[in-house]
Amino acid sequence: MIEFTVLGMMGTFFLAQWSGPLWQKGLRGVELSGVVALMDETIQLYIPGRGSLVSDVWVDIAGAVIGAATAVLIYWLLHRHKQT
């Protein structure tokens, strides 16, 4: 979960440089992390001794949501004076 929290933050900060609503950038960061989570679990299907669970994808996405929300909050706090 921590890995995807960091991934969600990084994706959101990366997308924050383009114009558009801040919440949308956070959502895109979560979407990117969700794709990585799905790919990770799919790869685990083909590794002997490993298994793949849908619940693992949801845990990873929950971590990405936490990371994206944290990144949006940090970005907003750092840039709120520019909006006035």
Side-chain angles (χ1 to χ4, degrees):
M1 185 176 213
I2 293 172
E3 174 185 343
F4 281 90
T5 300
V6 172
L7 186 61
M9 287 180 75
M10 289 174 46
T12 302
F13 279 131
F14 173 74
L15 294 169
Q17 62 185 330
W18 286 288
S19 63
L22 188 55
W23 66 268
Q24 197 173 43
K25 296 169 191 175
L27 182 61
R28 296 290 179 235
V30 172
E31 288 175 348
L32 290 172
S33 300
V35 169
V36 173
L38 286 170
M39 289 178 5
D40 182 45
E41 292 300 317
T42 302
I43 289 169
Q44 287 183 24
L45 285 172
Y46 300 103
I47 298 174
R50 298 288 307 259
S52 179
L53 297 171
V54 174
S55 62
D56 287 346
V57 174
W58 287 112
V59 169
D60 295 343
I61 291 173
V65 168
I66 292 168
T70 303
V72 166
L73 179 63
I74 290 169
Y75 189 84
W76 179 79
L77 288 172
L78 293 175
H79 295 92
R80 67 182 169 176
H81 66 279
K82 291 182 182 179
Q83 296 176 358
T84 57

